Amino acid sequence: MTNTYLDIKKNILEVALGRTNDRIAMIESALETARDSSNDDTKSSAGDKYETSREMIQQDINRYQGQLLEANKDLMQLTNIFSAIGVETDFVKLGSLVKTNLGLYFIATSIGALKINDKNVFVVSAGSPIGQLLLGKKCGDSFLFNRLNQTISELY
């Protein structure tokens, strides 16, 4: 693996880890605020209004807990990818940097397009439509995505 592409992978992972940690902090803050609202909510004379309010707050808490679980899974996945960053492979898998005739793709978590070392890289999850198309493919394999035929020229 050339140093340039190893550097790109490291930079992508640093950005992805930073964004994921930021996302976790925001979710934890929102969850804390929702819990505080639930604890501060006092029963009013309008009982139905109180119950509706408590239920809405509980739904928010449940949603934030689900988001936090997913964000922590992403963080663990990114950490695992980072620990295996220099391992070479003959096929596309989680953590692969894939060069095609139309661009660069990094299989990790869904972040979207990033500009790293003057190169545009699409950071996609393995579960995304393009991620599913790429998984298991090798150099020289072709695939059709959004009516565009792409051929894998290099894997890092």
Side-chain angles (χ1 to χ4, degrees), residues 9 11 17 24-25 41 43 48 63 75-76 83 102 127:
K9 284 178 84 168
N11 289 341
L17 285 165
I24 288 170
D41 203 7
K43 190 161 189 164
D48 288 344
R63 187 178 71 248
L75 183 61
M76 190 165 69
S83 66
L102 297 180

Side-chain angles (χ1 to χ4, degrees), residues 30-125:
L31 186 56
E32 184 178 332
T33 300
R35 285 183 177 144
D36 288 347
S37 293
S38 177
N39 293 336
D40 293 344
D41 203 7
T42 58
K43 190 161 189 164
S44 67
S45 60
D48 288 344
K49 187 176 181 181
Y50 166 78
E51 291 303 323
T52 301
S53 173
R54 300 262 313 161
E55 179 58 29
M56 289 174 63
I57 292 169
Q58 188 57 50
Q59 287 176 7
D60 286 345
I61 290 170
N62 293 343
R63 187 178 71 248
Y64 293 136
Q65 287 173 333
Q67 290 174 356
L68 186 58
L69 181 66
E70 287 303 311
N72 279 314
K73 283 182 190 176
D74 286 350
L75 183 61
M76 190 165 69
Q77 188 175 44
L78 290 167
T79 302
N80 290 338
I81 292 170
F82 203 85
S83 66
I85 200 166
V87 177
E88 293 189 29
T89 182
D90 293 332
F91 60 91
V92 178
K93 64 179 188 171
L94 195 63
S96 293
L97 181 61
V98 182
K99 184 177 182 182
T100 74
N101 56 309
L102 297 180
L104 283 171
Y105 299 92
F106 186 68
I107 312 299
T109 60
S110 285
I111 291 180
L114 294 177
K115 190 161 190 103
I116 304 287
N117 298 0
D118 295 327
K119 295 187 185 301
N120 291 319
V121 182
F122 297 97
V123 184
V124 298
S125 75

Side-chain angles (χ1 to χ4, degrees), residues 7-8 15 33 44 49 52 114 126 128 130 143 154:
D7 289 343
I8 289 173
V15 169
T33 300
S44 67
K49 187 176 181 181
T52 301
L114 294 177
S128 68
I130 193 157
F143 62 96
E154 296 177 57

